[in-house]
Amino acid sequence: MTNDSYSLSRPCPSNKVPRWDWQTDVIVVGFGAAGACAAIEAARAGAKVILIDVAAGYGGASALSGGEIYAGGSGGTLQQRTAGFEDKTEDLYNYLLMAGGPNADQAKVRVYADNSLKHFEWLSEQGIKHKNSYMPEKIVEPVTDDCLIWSGSEEAYPFSQAAKPAPRGHAPQYVGMGGGKYMMDTFAQRIAELDVDVQYNTRALALVADETQRVRGLVVRSDGEVRFARARKGVILCAGGFVMNREMVKRHVPLLLRSNAPIGTVDDGSGIRLGMSIGGATINMGEGFATIPWYPPGSLVKGIFVNERGQRFINEDCYHGRVTQHILQQLGDRIFLLQDNSTYAPLLFEELTRVEIAAAGETWEEVETELKLPKGSLVATMETYNHYAAQGDDPLFHKAAKWLKPLNEPPLVALDCRIDHCFYSSFTLGGLDTLPTGEVLTEDREVIPGLYAAGRTACGLPRWGGGYSSGMSLADSTFFGRLAGKRVAQTSDFDG
Amino acid sequence: MTNDSYSLSRPCPSNKVPRWDWQTDVIVVGFGAAGACAAIEAARAGAKVILIDVAAGYGGASALSGGEIYAGGSGGTLQQRTAGFEDKTEDLYNYLLMAGGPNADQAKVRVYADNSLKHFEWLSEQGIKHKNSYMPEKIVEPVTDDCLIWSGSEEAYPFSQAAKPAPRGHAPQYVGMGGGKYMMDTFAQRIAELDVDVQYNTRALALVADETQRVRGLVVRSDGEVRFARARKGVILCAGGFVMNREMVKRHVPLLLRSNAPIGTVDDGSGIRLGMSIGGATINMGEGFATIPWYPPGSLVKGIFVNERGQRFINEDCYHGRVTQHILQQLGDRIFLLQDNSTYAPLLFEELTRVEIAAAGETWEEVETELKLPKGSLVATMETYNHYAAQGDDPLFHKAAKWLKPLNEPPLVALDCRIDHCFYSSFTLGGLDTLPTGEVLTEDREVIPGLYAAGRTACGLPRWGGGYSSGMSLADSTFFGRLAGKRVAQTSDFDG
């Protein structure tokens, strides 16, 4: 075989491996949050681990995030209890089950809900600090070093009906956005303390599998050379999702093509493709997360969104990502956020989102005319909304009373949230089907021996744009990364 | 290997095959429209063909259909020209491209648009008769033996902007619904005339592949026995989609769980799973077709649909499946079709669809109250709609003028189209990624030697519920089934 003949989508037969350049127990592909936690746990359990990343350093998409962990249950984290929330495990379970959507993985939700608190403590033990503080405001991510926030749709309909609301987003003690970098720095320090062989600038080219379809190792390109790496216990794929691979996005989740700001580093789907090459089933590939961070300030949540027909389409008090999922489902690119004089304030992320004022007026009729909306369309929407809001009611979408007020104090304003112009970020939520312990499954849900996946290479807790909550993906990546690391370390060495 | 150890999701290594019970050039899996056409073309080209089906007879989901073929271009079919439509190839091309959605396959659309007319003639040569007649009415399928109908959204916005409208649905000359059975009977007769070995009650258990991942044959269970079938040239998977496999539907296209009437026979995803077992990429798995056949009579199209917030959401003059896709995307199960005295008529498929009158009144306010819709919501929708309809305009959704009239002649009526109660049929539109000639591709779009797919096992022309038009799936299955049959017959025999 020549160098060029290796393919992500075709395993290299083990009897064609000319030599083992590297030999180890476990190979972890990808040094983001999932890969780091997998490597830590495998090494702690005594396995020899090689951790590779195609980049020149660690971090992946995890380092671009806010570092939030969605956690709770078992009576609540210290931060939750201090803030007065006794978060029951069943409430966390029910929330995550609804948030996972129609295809939620009950087994994963169960094990995470039962162990979330312990996992959060484990993260502390790794050195990740969380301040004991609570921010009750409606925000996307703390810009201070504060910790506990409402990071999902807990208080919003219909989630509020499924589980007793509690704030569960835990941001690390790091001043400013970007706590994900701090989190990855902390993991990297742990990795350095453990006996893990980290190889950067190393690209996975193909799995190595024997004739029984058992994974034996990996072909990589490292320092420009093709190398054959034997994994006696298994390979763990933690190489992120596929949002940066626009061809894959087109083939699997075309709705995300409407988002113009994919969040990722490598995220070229290579981990998923390696899994598929040996019959690993992908699931939920048509789902993605997208968002425009349109609040804070929270007063904006008292406004309403309408499409280019002047119609409302969602309760605006739910999580910004859920609002955005419904934005992307509207026919037409023009989307407006309507405010009055008492609710309007510039967006905190105004520069980032490119949201500007599209029209203003003394009456909604004036705004409607200025926006060139069909005559009467917006006026009717506002009449209905204001009529009920005055009574503290929203019979259309069940927005909670505290966010309801008639929007009638001039000047009235329409903010331009055009899909094809503003910042709509996104990442993918489909991936390899796995057991909670990371084993990659075939479409028949049979285990593929020697192959594991975690993080966005797998399909985990978050699997529905309409239910995503900040911190769900990192909670999933760190927790199930750990489980995969522990599981692979327990397995017997493969012979041969 | 014991009998039970064969798996759809794990190829049997060719060096583990104890004997070849059957030896042939080509094995076709599934005797629906795609499999029939693949077998006919392979046999006509001189290949030895075994055609298997898990059922006791031929037909598959194709035999449940109306037998319509979406065809045109090159100046038009005889039926189109007689009816006064000079259908240009580029109009067919542009229509199919938009109908395929954001992930449309340009190569497949191109080759089909260029060859649609010739393909339609080929179907005639096989013995499928089409009357030279045209039904201009808005219908789902002829109940007479007539042929040409408007079977998509050609005249509706936005499709009307992309291509000059022409009717392109061609139903066979068969009295009543169910022309698909007639079509399959005709194909079966051709198959009987050719030297094709048909094996019913034969289930595919696993692909046979060599160590280079080249497909060599198939393990089947036939008459209760495991048999090893060698395919010197290739295996063509034409085993339908996966709508009857509700676990797969849940994992891949959960929106279709809202549909309570899946259309299929076997359609358990086994063809797709066989392809995946050897690294075949699945694409578009999150897309499906769904419909409630709410017209004819065409006068109903002058009515409007609203959700449980009294909001309109689509131009009602587009294809019933496109209307339904937007129905399924609404929050809430309650959906109403509103008519007035001049437009109302019982649905032709009233018994099938279980659509009943939910409310009636002298004013829309009465209807709104009876339906317990938020006060003012429906009234506002009707005011806007009626105001513009009186001017022959629909600025919200661009419904064509001929379907517009103010709905204001009492009694006014709301038909109950509840998603969780009425008949919503569905099938899947995701499948294996293939070249137009049927070769199954990996995620990197590399060809898997010896493996082909067509029909709903592959992802073909129809790949978007919002663009599906009647006859697209059979046009795709018959045409690309043929191409796969021709292609596999041309290949050299594999050695070994």
Side-chain angles (χ1 to χ4, degrees), chain A residues 116-386:
Chain A
S116 175
L117 204 68
K118 276 188 277 181
H119 177 58
F120 192 64
E121 285 162 8
W122 181 88
L123 291 168
S124 294
E125 289 162 20
Q126 304 318 303
I128 298 171
K129 294 196 173 73
H130 292 89
K131 194 168 161 182
N132 185 6
S133 66
Y134 167 51
M135 298 185 76
E137 300 84 8
K138 187 98 177 161
I139 59 172
V140 167
E141 187 183 327
V143 292
T144 58
D145 66 351
D146 286 297
C147 179
L148 185 65
I149 67 166
W150 294 90
S151 74
S153 298
E154 298 85 358
E155 291 189 300
Y157 183 89
F159 299 88
S160 56
Q161 313 299 301
K164 189 177 172 193
R168 299 191 186 98
H170 293 74
Q173 188 167 353
Y174 175 84
V175 180
M177 316 279 283
K181 177 71 168 53
Y182 159 75
M183 181 189 68
M184 287 308 304
D185 288 341
T186 311
F187 284 143
Q189 201 159 338
R190 283 294 290 141
I191 293 281
E193 291 159 15
L194 291 160
D195 185 24
V196 172
D197 178 5
V198 179
Q199 297 285 341
Y200 294 116
N201 301 307
T202 299
R203 179 182 295 278
L205 298 179
L207 290 176
V208 175
D210 65 22
E211 62 179 20
T212 68
Q213 300 284 86
R214 189 184 277 259
V215 173
R216 298 290 188 172
L218 200 65
V219 187
V220 301
R221 182 173 284 116
S222 188
D223 290 332
E225 297 293 323
V226 172
R227 299 215 163 104
F228 299 89
R230 180 183 180 196
R232 281 180 293 259
K233 292 179 185 291
V235 173
I236 311 181
L237 303 170
C238 303
F242 61 94
V243 78
M244 306 309 282
N245 183 330
R246 301 311 273 179
E247 264 306 307
M248 276 185 82
V249 169
K250 182 169 173 287
R251 293 205 289 271
H252 298 293
V253 53
L255 187 74
L256 288 196
L257 294 175
R258 297 194 90 178
S259 136
N260 47 28
I263 306 176
T265 52
V266 180
D267 293 282
D268 59 357
S270 54
I272 294 170
R273 285 143 76 197
L274 284 171
M276 289 169 75
S277 74
I278 194 154
T282 51
I283 61 173
N284 221 49
M285 293 290 277
E287 275 294 331
F289 162 84
T291 205
I292 178 168
W294 59 277
Y295 60 79
S299 70
L300 292 171
V301 177
K302 292 179 181 165
I304 67 170
F305 277 97
V306 296
N307 62 25
E308 64 185 36
R309 288 165 293 286
Q311 297 173 310
R312 246 181 113 207
F313 48 84
I314 191 68
N315 44 325
E316 295 81 6
D317 59 340
C318 59
Y319 177 68
H320 49 91
R322 178 171 168 82
V323 170
T324 304
Q325 204 210 29
H326 287 266
I327 288 175
L328 295 187
Q329 284 175 355
Q330 300 305 304
L331 291 170
D333 270 320
R334 296 203 304 158
I335 298 289
F336 303 104
L337 174 57
L338 308 177
Q339 303 288 341
D340 78 358
N341 187 52
S342 74
T343 62
Y344 174 72
L347 273 65
L348 181 64
F349 303 115
E350 196 170 40
E351 215 167 306
L352 173 74
T353 56
R354 299 191 286 276
V355 170
E356 292 172 10
I357 291 176
E362 295 298 301
T363 65
W364 286 115
E365 201 169 359
E366 278 179 43
V367 174
E368 178 184 278
T369 304
E370 203 175 330
L371 295 177
K372 296 190 172 60
L373 295 178
K375 190 174 158 48
S377 61
L378 181 61
V379 168
T381 296
M382 298 314 302
E383 267 172 19
T384 302
Y385 183 77
N386 284 345

Side-chain angles (χ1 to χ4, degrees), chain B residues 62-240:
Chain B
S62 306
L64 301 178
S65 78
E68 261 171 68
I69 299 286
Y70 200 87
S74 306
T77 61
L78 172 64
Q79 289 78 3
Q80 288 179 310
R81 283 182 280 117
T82 306
F85 298 95
E86 252 190 83
D87 194 17
K88 292 212 177 82
T89 299
E90 285 320 290
D91 288 317
L92 174 60
Y93 175 82
N94 288 328
Y95 181 80
L96 288 175
L97 206 60
M98 180 177 272
N103 187 26
D105 185 326
Q106 285 194 29
K108 285 183 182 169
V109 170
R110 183 77 264 166
V111 66
Y112 185 71
D114 289 347
N115 293 284
S116 174
L117 205 68
K118 276 189 277 181
H119 176 59
F120 193 64
E121 285 162 9
W122 181 88
L123 292 169
S124 294
E125 289 161 20
Q126 305 317 302
I128 298 170
K129 294 196 173 72
H130 293 90
K131 194 168 161 182
N132 185 7
S133 66
Y134 167 52
M135 299 185 76
E137 301 83 8
K138 187 98 178 161
I139 59 172
V140 168
E141 187 184 326
V143 291
T144 59
D145 66 352
D146 287 297
C147 179
L148 185 63
I149 67 165
W150 295 89
S151 74
S153 298
E154 298 84 0
E155 292 189 299
Y157 183 88
F159 299 89
S160 55
Q161 313 299 300
K164 188 178 172 192
R168 300 192 186 96
H170 293 75
Q173 189 167 352
Y174 176 85
V175 179
M177 315 279 282
K181 177 70 169 53
Y182 159 75
M183 180 189 68
M184 287 307 304
D185 287 342
T186 312
F187 284 142
Q189 201 158 338
R190 282 294 290 143
I191 293 281
E193 291 158 17
L194 291 160
D195 186 24
V196 172
D197 179 5
V198 180
Q199 297 285 341
Y200 294 116
N201 301 308
T202 299
R203 180 183 294 278
L205 299 179
L207 290 176
V208 175
D210 65 22
E211 61 180 19
T212 68
Q213 301 283 87
R214 189 184 278 259
V215 172
R216 298 289 189 175
L218 200 65
V219 187
V220 302
R221 181 173 285 117
S222 188
D223 290 332
E225 296 292 324
V226 173
R227 298 214 164 103
F228 299 88
R230 180 183 180 197
R232 281 180 293 260
K233 292 177 185 292
V235 173
I236 311 181
L237 304 170
C238 304

